[in-house]
Structure formats: C-alpha cells, structure tokens
Amino acid sequence: MHNNKFKIGTAGRASTTEQMLVIKDLETFSPSIDGNTEEWTPMDTAGWIRRAVTGKGLTFSFSGKRHYGDPGNDYIGGLLLGTGQEVESKFEWEFPSGAKLTMDCVINLTTPAGGDSTNIDNLEFELLSDGLPVFTPAA
C-alpha cells in the first residue's frame, strides 16, 4: 500500500535533499487552491462577462499529533514565534502513485500543542505556496 508522504526542509529554504524529512504523526491534510480571476465585459459579447484566471495560490492545512523528538515534527513545532524568513522552507508531497509536487513554502503554525490533560499534544499548521510549484508525474 502506498501512502501520501509529506516532507519539509528542516533547514528552511537552504535545505538539501538530506534535510527534506517526513513530518511524523500527521493525521489529516486538506489542499486548497485560490485563484485570482479578472472579469471584463467587452462590447462584442452581448453583455456576457469574459473571465481569465490570472494567478493561483496553493495552501495545505495539516493536523496531527506533536511528536517530540521527530526532526520534521520538531521543526514545525519550533516555529511558534517565527515570522518572515524564519518560516520560509521547502515542501514535498509524494503521491501514492509516485508523482511529486515540490514548492517553496511559508509555514503558518496555528496550534503548536494543547488538548485535554490525557491527550497527546496537537500540531496544526498551514503550508502556503511561495511561487510556482513543480509537479513531476510518476515514472
């Protein structure tokens, strides 16, 4: 059985292949695409609107458990107070088919811990594209 694999560059944008590590104990993910759309109504379309998508952004929302000691999970959890270049990194999504999506990203840590006293800490964050992602089809 093949699974989705999510890797983060644990040295930010300078991460090497060896520093791209799986983020352990993720439970859910939700990708979403935001498009910028421009509209105009030319005289030759009988009042019908023309449209063009002029830009896009890709956001991944993740939730899971805080796994202290896992380098990928610790990297994300350690961004509690980070801003600007401190939260810029690289991201890789390996699909079950073997295809890959890679992109520069910005990390928005939304829940670094928390929960009931008998629960394992939560970890929730968003990865937002920063520039054009690269899709590589499966071999």
Side-chain angles (χ1 to χ4, degrees):
M1 180 171 94
H2 298 284
N3 295 319
N4 290 294
K5 293 178 186 166
F6 302 102
K7 294 182 180 180
I8 194 69
T10 56
R13 292 275 168 88
S15 297
T16 63
T17 302
E18 294 77 29
Q19 292 168 317
M20 296 295 295
L21 301 177
V22 170
I23 307 164
K24 191 167 181 64
D25 284 334
L26 295 179
E27 296 177 289
T28 65
F29 78 101
S30 178
S32 63
I33 298 173
D34 298 319
N36 298 337
T37 305
E38 189 169 329
E39 298 180 349
W40 66 101
T41 310
M43 290 183 235
D44 62 343
T45 60
W48 284 88
I49 293 175
R50 298 267 337 264
R51 293 184 172 106
V53 175
T54 59
K56 287 193 174 192
L58 179 58
T59 301
F60 291 86
S61 298
F62 289 96
S63 66
K65 299 299 184 193
R66 184 68 175 90
H67 188 112
Y68 298 94
D70 172 69
N73 194 295
D74 285 347
Y75 175 75
I76 300 290
L79 299 176
L80 175 66
L81 301 178
T83 60
Q85 292 180 334
E86 296 170 328
V87 296
E88 293 178 356
S89 191
K90 294 179 180 180
F91 172 69
E92 178 182 295
W93 174 16
E94 184 179 325
F95 294 71
S97 67
K100 287 185 183 179
L101 180 87
T102 58
M103 66 184 194
D104 286 345
C105 68
V106 174
I107 303 164
N108 179 29
L109 177 63
T110 56
T111 305
D116 293 336
S117 62
T118 58
N119 287 355
I120 295 171
D121 282 342
N122 293 317
L123 179 68
E124 296 177 2
F125 59 98
E126 296 174 326
L127 295 177
L128 297 88
S129 62
D130 189 10
L132 177 67
V134 175
F135 180 77
T136 306

